[in-house]
Amino acid sequence: MKILVFNGSPRPRGNTAAMVEAFAEGARENGHQVDVVNVCQKKIAGCMACEYCHQKDSGHERQCIQKDDMQEVYPLLDAAEMIVLASPVYYHSFSGQLQCAINRIYALDKPKYLKKAALILSSGSDHVYSGAIYEYQNSFLNYLHLEDMGIFTAYGKENRAPEKLEELYRFGKSLPKE
């Protein structure tokens, strides 16, 4: 299975990145192709709602007018069968950089092969995930008609705990081959 991970953490070696790496290692060991896009190291602007991507018979359907780093991501999105959204939670939701990347999926409407999704959230505090989980479940899964493969959260010392990283590794390793 082709898996695309959007890592929404600005910290290349932070807690979210450690969780993503544990997941990716397990998935790769099980024969899956995993591409990780560190959205904070990319130049990805928010959607402008210009509808350029949805003008029928224009020759540019499913193409965003903005020519930034999202152009590198669109082919990965269209090939992916599963997407994993990974983000630190700073103020009850996804990082702003991840939100921009999510909003830009709009240009594709629905990626061609995408069927599954998972969510990885990291925070310094517990009980701050509800905004991100709500958006994931109601705006992402429901709109794109994706199967929820799981929600994984960690806070405080749990973020780098061997048990948490092992849980994510086992999750990646357990994904069925398709």
Side-chain angles (χ1 to χ4, degrees), residues 8-11 15-16 19 85-96 98 119-133 151-156 159:
S9 176
R11 296 180 179 169
N15 296 327
T16 304
M19 293 166 69
L85 303 178
S87 182
V89 176
Y90 297 132
Y91 201 71
H92 307 283
S93 194
F94 300 124
S95 68
L98 178 58
L119 181 63
I120 298 172
L121 299 173
S122 170
S123 181
S125 304
D126 199 8
H127 308 297
V128 296
Y129 308 112
S130 60
I133 291 172
I151 297 172
F152 301 87
T153 62
Y155 74 95
N159 282 299

Side-chain angles (χ1 to χ4, degrees), residues 2 19 47 59 75 77 81 85-86 102 104 106 112-113 124 126 131 135 161 168-169 176:
K2 291 184 179 180
M19 293 166 69
C47 177
L77 269 165
E81 298 159 89
L85 303 178
I102 291 170
R104 294 283 295 284
Y106 181 67
K112 292 179 182 174
Y113 303 106
D126 199 8
E135 183 171 344
L168 285 153
Y169 168 82

Side-chain angles (χ1 to χ4, degrees), residues 44-152:
I44 299 175
C47 177
M48 299 187 315
C50 68
E51 293 297 325
Y52 179 87
C53 56
H54 292 135
Q55 293 173 358
K56 294 194 186 297
D57 301 320
S58 64
H60 52 73
E61 300 91 350
R62 301 184 88 242
Q63 296 176 31
C64 185
I65 197 167
Q66 298 184 76
K67 303 305 179 209
D68 57 11
D69 290 344
M70 195 66 185
Q71 297 305 317
E72 303 166 13
V73 179
Y74 286 132
L76 297 173
L77 269 165
D78 255 347
E81 298 159 89
M82 178 176 175
I83 189 167
V84 178
L85 303 178
S87 182
V89 176
Y90 297 132
Y91 201 71
H92 307 283
S93 194
F94 300 124
S95 68
Q97 297 93 327
L98 178 58
Q99 191 62 61
C100 285
I102 291 170
N103 289 350
R104 294 283 295 284
I105 295 173
Y106 181 67
L108 299 180
D109 193 31
K110 181 173 175 31
K112 292 179 182 174
Y113 303 106
L114 199 58
K115 294 181 183 112
K116 302 175 184 215
L119 181 63
I120 298 172
L121 299 173
S122 170
S123 181
S125 304
D126 199 8
H127 308 297
V128 296
Y129 308 112
S130 60
I133 291 172
Y134 179 87
E135 183 171 344
Y136 168 73
Q137 291 174 331
N138 295 291
S139 299
F140 199 74
L141 293 178
N142 290 347
Y143 180 75
L144 294 174
H145 306 289
L146 302 177
E147 178 184 352
D148 182 10
M149 300 302 289
I151 297 172
F152 301 87

